[in-house]
Amino acid sequence: MTPTDIPTDTAHTTTRIGSLVRDARLHRGLTQQQLAARLGTSQSAVARIEQGNQNLTLELLGRLSAALESELISLGPTGPTHLRVAGGHPLRGSVAVKSSKNAAVALLCAALLNRGRTTLRNVARIVEVERLLDVLRSIGVSATWDDEGHDLTLVVPDALDLAAIDADAARRTRSIIMFLGPLLHRAQTFELPYAGGCDLGTRTVQPHMIALRPFGLEIEARAGEYHATVQHTGAPARAIVLTERGDTVTENALLAAARTDGTTVIRNASSNYMVQDLCLYLELLGVGIEGLGTTTLVVHGRPVLDADVDYTISEDPVEAMSLLTAGIVTGSELTVQRAPVDFLEIELAVLAEMGLRYELSAEYLADNGHTRLADITIHPSELRAPIDKIHPMPFPGLNIDNLPFFAVIAAQAAGSTLIHDWVYDNRAIHLSDLTRLGADVRLMDPHRVLVNGPTHWSSAEVICPPALRPAVVILLAMLAAKGTSVLRNVDIIARGYEQLYERLIEMGAAIEVFHD
């Protein structure tokens, strides 16, 4: 469990410590009643602590740390988090895929549309979700975790206090841009901090501007904020052609259309997993949606959405690919359970072409009643480079977030593999860090790397790249490298993964978390 410093905002502090207590308890396999017994208190007191509703003294924090065998808090700076990895050992057993981060953040934004109670089940407990919850709570939304810390209930007030928005949390999550679609129904003018902590400028906002303009929203990006004005057109029908088939752009258009009276046709829409989760949730609210899973969505909006709904978020295909890659590069026999095969078909086809031996269980439905799941068992395999380059495409193509994993897989394969990351500027550069661990990865230009294999991995000390998926790729390569490696400044990994290190350890990985 990672310690946290004491900030000045007491309410924020107790909420964060409550989350740490809950995660440590669950990691130890304790119920709230069992933890209460260790503390000599009641189950309801433990529930209040985990919800952030209990005053915390240093004495109580010390007792909690002792009961959970985990340092929960530090009175001074702890410094960045690092990993020490003893690699070269195969993994074993099975691991279940957790729920989708990208779907979770979309649904948190979508809850702003609902006058009723939204209960989201199986929510990923990751930094990105917690940041977005900080923003929602700052504007008046009630967000309450259940006792086990997996299900989240949200109640949105009639009036949002946008002037009180937690600007620091908002600037640290790119998901804030998906507030635009819901908020255009709540205010005629409003401001939002720039997403992601940097000046994204008009170019990045442009696809969202095009998608939301038919709903009367005009956006100007300046002075560190999005400045939005709304003039509702009142048109009974509207057609939107997205200039890029982006996930968040499609979601923003859906969020705007959901409470707009009449019919909205969205063409060139993303049909990716998080978009499908969003559509299924909106249907529960009473929004009519045709074309689920296709690139043309027809949305029959309703000006008032008022329903008490429960929705279970589907499993994350990118996490599934991460876990499969961990097994592939370590030459393991491993089963990845609850993998959303709808969103892994191209990846599995490419892996089969490269010589990976794997088996699929019979398919079954996710708890949302829609997404197809299967258990994937991989076997140690002699891999070869694919004939063609590996590149991403919008769904149903190879997922852009899964592309970096093919760099470390290609390093295991005999021959040369060209990885073409045409979507993101400069992300491919971070894949060249694999050379520190013995891989032959040649940067052709900011979008292409040539990987020659097979690799005889060697241990090394590497500073974590400032990009989530390449950071995980380096960690997975360290699992394959004999000897002890050190990966420094790994906090970015917690932005997109829940208890990744602990779960790898349960499969046999030797990973130690430490601080300076």
Side-chain angles (χ1 to χ4, degrees), residues 176-367:
I176 195 68
I177 200 168
M178 284 191 291
F179 274 37
L180 293 172
L183 289 184
L184 68 85
H185 299 291
R186 304 295 299 255
Q188 290 188 322
T189 63
F190 59 91
E191 289 79 37
L192 287 176
Y194 271 156
C198 60
D199 186 347
L200 296 178
T202 302
R203 177 176 176 272
T204 302
V205 182
Q206 188 67 25
H208 294 267
M209 294 174 66
I210 294 170
L212 298 176
R213 193 172 292 132
F215 302 96
L217 184 70
E218 293 291 338
I219 311 163
E220 185 178 353
R222 69 180 194 287
E225 290 184 322
Y226 300 128
H227 294 259
T229 58
V230 186
Q231 291 184 336
H232 294 288
T233 62
R238 62 213 58 80
I240 300 169
V241 179
L242 302 182
T243 55
E244 65 174 40
R245 199 184 302 171
D247 301 326
T248 57
V249 174
T250 301
E251 288 166 330
N252 243 340
L254 278 166
L255 294 169
R259 277 190 55 183
T260 300
D261 198 14
T263 300
T264 303
V265 179
I266 306 171
R267 301 192 187 278
N268 196 32
S270 166
S271 51
N272 211 353
Y273 61 97
M274 70 291 285
V275 175
Q276 294 196 26
D277 265 307
L278 177 58
C279 287
L280 294 169
Y281 168 77
L282 293 176
E283 287 179 329
L284 289 179
L285 294 184
V287 180
I289 300 177
E290 303 169 38
L292 179 65
T294 76
T295 58
T296 299
L297 297 173
V298 180
V299 183
H300 304 283
R302 299 177 59 184
V304 177
L305 300 176
D306 188 351
D308 292 340
V309 296
D310 284 41
Y311 183 74
T312 302
I313 301 171
S314 66
E315 282 70 11
D316 192 330
V318 181
E319 177 173 293
M321 186 66 198
S322 308
L323 298 169
L324 288 169
T325 303
I328 292 169
V329 300
T330 55
S332 305
E333 183 158 320
L334 186 70
T335 298
V336 176
Q337 300 170 326
R338 303 187 66 83
V341 288
D342 272 335
F343 305 98
L344 290 166
E345 288 180 333
I346 302 300
E347 285 84 342
L348 289 173
V350 173
L351 290 170
E353 180 190 348
M354 296 178 71
L356 179 69
R357 296 184 298 116
Y358 69 89
E359 299 157 3
L360 292 177
S361 72
E363 291 182 3
Y364 51 98
L365 285 181
D367 291 339

